[in-house]
Amino acid sequence: MPAILQRRPWLLVAAVAATLCLGACSGFSERTRGALSAVTPYKVEVVQGNFVSKEQVAALKPGMSRQQVREILGTSLLTDVFHANRWDYVFTIRRQGVDPQERHLTVFFNGELMDRFEGDEMPSEEDFVATLDTRKKSGKVPPLEATEDELKKFAPAKDEKKADSADAQASLPPLPAAYPPLEAAR
C-alpha cells in the first residue's frame, strides 16, 4: 500500500466512493432522464411595469394635461431625461406555463399638453384578468337556484315542525318584562 494511503485511509474510501458514484451516473436510462426533466423547480411570477387597459387608452384625448394623463394611466415606468416630452409605459409578465406578455405604450407631449400616443393593442381589463386565471375549467356550471320540487324534498313534515318549534320555545329563557334604556339617563 502506498505511504500516503497508510497515513490517510479516508482517501481510499473517498476514491472508492467517487468511482462508484461515477459508475452509477452511467446507469441513467432515457426513461429516468425523462422523469427527471419532468420535475421542474418553481419559478417566481414576475410582473413589472404599468398595466394599461383598452379602456384607459380610450380615455386619452389629445390636448390633455400631463396631470390628466397621469390620473388615467398612472406614473410612467420610464421617464427619459433626454426626451422630456415622452412617457413610456411598459408592462411585462412572466409566469410558469404561460407565454410571457409584453406591452408598450408611448405618450408624446407638446409642452404641457398631450400631443399623441402610440403602442401595442391593449387588452380590456376583462380579457387581461381571464388570461391570468390558469386554473382548469371544470366545464358545466351547476345551477345555483333550487326549484320548488327540489326544496320540497328537504322540507320537514308538518308534525315535525310543530314539535321542533315547541322544543325551541321550551329551551329559550323567558323574555324580560322591560329592556334597559339604550342611552344612559342624564
Side-chain angles (χ1 to χ4, degrees):
M1 204 179 231
I4 193 158
L5 291 179
Q6 288 176 352
R7 284 182 283 157
R8 297 183 181 155
W10 58 269
L11 278 176
L12 178 64
V13 174
V16 170
T19 305
L20 289 175
C21 288
L22 289 174
C25 289
S26 65
F28 280 119
S29 66
E30 287 301 316
R31 178 180 283 175
T32 310
R33 283 193 179 99
L36 288 175
S37 67
V39 177
T40 58
Y42 174 75
K43 293 182 183 174
V44 177
E45 181 177 300
V46 179
V47 179
Q48 293 179 317
N50 307 68
F51 170 71
V52 178
S53 69
K54 182 186 291 186
E55 294 85 1
Q56 289 172 302
V57 173
L60 294 176
K61 304 289 182 231
M64 290 181 139
S65 69
R66 289 179 185 253
Q67 182 61 35
Q68 289 172 319
V69 173
R70 187 176 290 119
E71 288 173 3
I72 293 171
L73 300 178
T75 304
S76 66
L77 181 65
L78 301 172
T79 304
D80 193 346
V81 175
F82 299 107
H83 300 99
N85 289 331
R86 171 183 168 166
W87 289 353
D88 292 297
Y89 291 86
V90 181
F91 174 76
T92 60
I93 182 170
R94 289 180 181 83
R95 303 175 68 201
Q96 189 168 353
V98 179
D99 292 335
Q101 298 179 33
E102 189 169 316
R103 294 194 174 77
H104 303 271
L105 178 73
T106 304
V107 180
F108 297 94
F109 293 93
N110 187 1
E112 286 298 311
L113 301 178
M114 185 182 86
D115 185 36
R116 69 184 196 285
F117 59 89
E118 57 187 45
D120 299 331
E121 180 71 26
M122 300 296 171
S124 68
E125 290 180 18
E126 187 176 315
D127 293 340
F128 179 69
V129 170
T131 63
L132 294 179
D133 187 12
T134 59
R135 295 175 291 171
K136 295 190 179 199
K137 308 295 185 233
S138 63
K140 185 179 176 185
V141 178
L144 299 178
E145 293 182 6
T147 63
E148 290 294 326
D149 294 334
E150 291 172 337
L151 291 174
K152 287 179 184 175
K153 293 179 191 176
F154 300 102
K158 292 182 181 181
D159 295 337
E160 290 177 20
K161 281 185 185 176
K162 290 179 184 174
D164 287 342
S165 64
D167 290 339
Q169 288 177 356
S171 65
L172 293 176
L175 295 174
Y179 289 101
L182 294 176
E183 295 180 6
R186 294 182 192 197

